[in-house]
Amino acid sequence: MILAAACHIHSDWSYDGRWSLEQLAAEFARRNYRVLLMTEHDRGFTPERLELYREACARASSAQVLVVPGIEYSDPENKVHILTWGSVPFAGENLSTLSLLRAVHAAKGLAVLAHPSRKEAWKCFDPAWSEYLHGIEVWNRKTDGWAPSENARTLNKRAGKLAMVGMDFHTPKQMFPLTMELDIDADINESAVLDALYSGRCRALAFGLPLEKSAAGCLGATLRSMEYFRKTAATTYRAWRKPHLA
């Protein structure tokens, strides 16, 4: 069974999320996603709050969509972020990346390097992480915009990890056709979803196409041009807006 999963999603359990788990489940189900891979920020979480959050994800799940709980951890400099899923006890805030990865690995969880282009986190990549890291987010809608990160793609090719795409959804502005396609043989549950990711029975899609096809050729060139003009227009607008609202 082939399922569409939306990855790197924040609800109002994150300090900067806007939508409830129930709102997210309803909207993504309407868009034919069957799985939400949640990634709440670690800030403000505790072991007790994580248990409450897992229960809330279970309540928000339905026959139409499975809400999988996850945490996005930040290093002490808030530069390197790691997405985690699985039965991983809350590790705490401001951990070094290597310490966090070892804790996730010990709990048999899954860890993915998020948005390597944000604050040029790709430059911090430590080969020692490779033993514990399962994937790298090569296209993050919030950070990279309408085209994948070339730095992230290059890093992932060098590291040889699972290429993942994520919306980094906080508000509807980040809604974008980035999908992790999962091949699941068993019932649709958290264990089956994570097993598909662990075993590589999955692939990253953009606009319904395999990632490499959407990032190459005419489509890739068009997306990069659109992203260039989008960023240029946004920068121009912010520069104009600042004195006019002062």
Side-chain angles (χ1 to χ4, degrees), residues 15-224:
Y15 66 88
D16 54 357
R18 295 294 179 267
W19 286 14
S20 69
L21 291 168
E22 290 75 15
Q23 286 175 308
L24 288 166
E27 180 61 23
F28 279 89
R30 189 180 71 80
R31 294 171 181 265
N32 297 317
Y33 285 94
R34 295 294 306 279
V35 177
L36 292 186
L37 289 164
M38 304 300 299
T39 51
E40 310 296 358
H41 292 297
D42 58 354
R43 186 192 302 179
F45 264 81
T46 62
E48 295 76 19
R49 191 164 191 257
L50 178 57
E51 289 308 308
L52 292 175
Y53 173 65
R54 292 187 63 86
E55 293 169 5
C57 287
R59 289 193 301 271
S61 298
S62 68
Q64 287 71 46
V65 63
L66 174 69
V67 182
V68 178
I71 298 292
E72 178 177 3
Y73 287 94
S74 308
D75 70 353
E77 290 75 37
N78 191 27
K79 191 168 188 177
V80 177
H81 288 199
I82 301 293
L83 311 176
T84 66
W85 297 278
S87 300
V88 181
F90 183 66
E93 299 181 35
N94 300 318
L95 293 178
S96 73
T97 299
L98 186 56
S99 296
L100 171 66
L101 290 173
R102 285 172 172 163
V104 174
H105 180 75
K108 295 182 170 56
L110 187 147
V112 171
L113 176 63
H115 40 57
S117 291
R118 178 185 174 273
K119 297 186 177 180
E120 297 187 314
W122 61 274
K123 292 182 178 180
C124 301
F125 188 82
D126 184 344
W129 300 350
S130 291
E131 181 180 351
Y132 311 103
L133 198 62
H134 186 74
I136 293 177
E137 194 175 49
V138 299
W139 190 345
N140 176 288
R141 166 63 184 91
K142 190 170 184 285
T143 294
D144 305 321
W146 294 355
S149 163
E150 290 303 314
N151 288 325
R153 292 176 69 204
T154 299
L155 173 63
N156 192 53
K157 288 178 180 177
R158 188 170 73 243
K161 300 301 175 181
L162 175 67
M164 295 189 66
V165 293
M167 296 183 199
D168 205 351
F169 186 99
H170 293 75
T171 74
K173 290 190 298 183
Q174 286 90 43
M175 188 67 77
F176 201 70
L178 295 176
T179 303
M180 290 303 297
E181 189 177 72
L182 309 178
D183 185 355
I184 295 178
D185 296 328
D187 293 336
I188 304 172
N189 54 43
E190 181 178 353
S191 178
V193 166
L194 296 182
D195 183 65
L197 291 169
Y198 274 125
S199 62
R201 290 183 285 106
C202 58
R203 62 175 180 166
L205 303 179
F207 299 95
L209 298 172
L211 181 62
E212 289 307 314
K213 286 188 177 180
S214 62
C218 292
L219 178 56
T222 299
L223 290 171
R224 287 189 290 273

Side-chain angles (χ1 to χ4, degrees), residues 7-21:
C7 185
H8 200 154
I9 309 296
H10 294 271
S11 75
D12 57 7
W13 281 76
S14 289
Y15 66 88
D16 54 357
R18 295 294 179 267
W19 286 14
S20 69
L21 291 168

